[in-house]
């Protein structure tokens, strides 16, 4: 949402109450919300094969993870009791789902890249009978020298 001046409200996430708990708890909720948004942007970067975007989002995520760790360490017992009220468990579940999704997408991207490299490396090979080999061409019989 935008304020009348055209600036985004900082720390606001729909569905999460504003102003509950200490400033540290509010900052933690805001940081986790931003981290979840960055995780969604990582998904888009992977899908679009945007290496620069992926690198940039990972750097932002690393900084936010450090901030979340710092804020988690200074929460009071009263703040910890309010974690459920401000939606921190739901944010953690969202982050876990995003991490699994991104890991799957990255694994698939690696598999596609490996298949593409195998395809490119297989083109232009000359087979044992003098024909150009293809992607899954049989390399021919293999002989073992038993006298060696």
């Amino acid at each position: 949402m935008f304020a009348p001046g055209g600036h985004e409200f900082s720390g606001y996430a729909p569905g999460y109450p504003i102003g509950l708990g200490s400033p540290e708890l509010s900052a933690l909720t805001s940081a986790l919300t931003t981290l979840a948004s960055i995780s969604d942007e990582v998904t888009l970067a992977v899908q679009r094969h945007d290496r620069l975007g992926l690198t940039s989002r990972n750097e932002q995520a690393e900084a936010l993870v450090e901030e979340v760790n710092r804020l988690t360490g200074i929460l009071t017992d009263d703040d910890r009791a309010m974690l459920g009220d401000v939606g921190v468990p739901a944010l953690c579940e969202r982050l876990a789902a995003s991490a699994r999704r991104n890991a799957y997408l990255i694994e698939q991207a690696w598999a596609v890249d490996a298949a593409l490299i195998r395809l490119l490396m297989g083109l232009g090979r000359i087979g044992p009978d003098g024909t150009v080999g293809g992607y899954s061409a049989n390399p021919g019989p293999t002989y073992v020298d038993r006298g060696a």
Side-chain angles (χ1 to χ4, degrees), residues 50-142:
D50 179 10
R51 186 183 60 83
L52 295 176
L54 183 61
T55 302
S56 170
R57 296 306 177 264
N58 282 335
E59 289 172 357
Q60 291 173 347
E62 287 175 10
L64 275 172
V65 167
E66 289 178 16
E67 179 68 9
V68 165
N69 288 336
R70 184 188 71 78
L71 290 168
T72 302
I74 60 174
L75 288 179
T76 64
D77 290 336
D78 292 336
D79 288 336
R80 291 181 194 282
M82 294 184 68
L83 289 175
D85 295 336
V86 296
V88 170
L91 283 169
C92 291
E93 288 174 13
R94 180 178 166 198
L95 285 166
S98 293
R100 287 189 302 272
R101 177 190 63 223
N102 289 343
Y104 174 77
L105 289 173
I106 290 169
E107 180 182 347
Q108 292 300 311
W110 276 98
V112 168
D113 286 348
L116 181 62
I117 294 298
R118 283 193 309 270
L119 176 67
L120 291 174
M121 296 303 291
L123 294 177
R125 285 191 178 168
I126 305 296
D129 58 351
T131 61
V132 176
Y135 176 65
S136 62
N138 187 1
T142 305

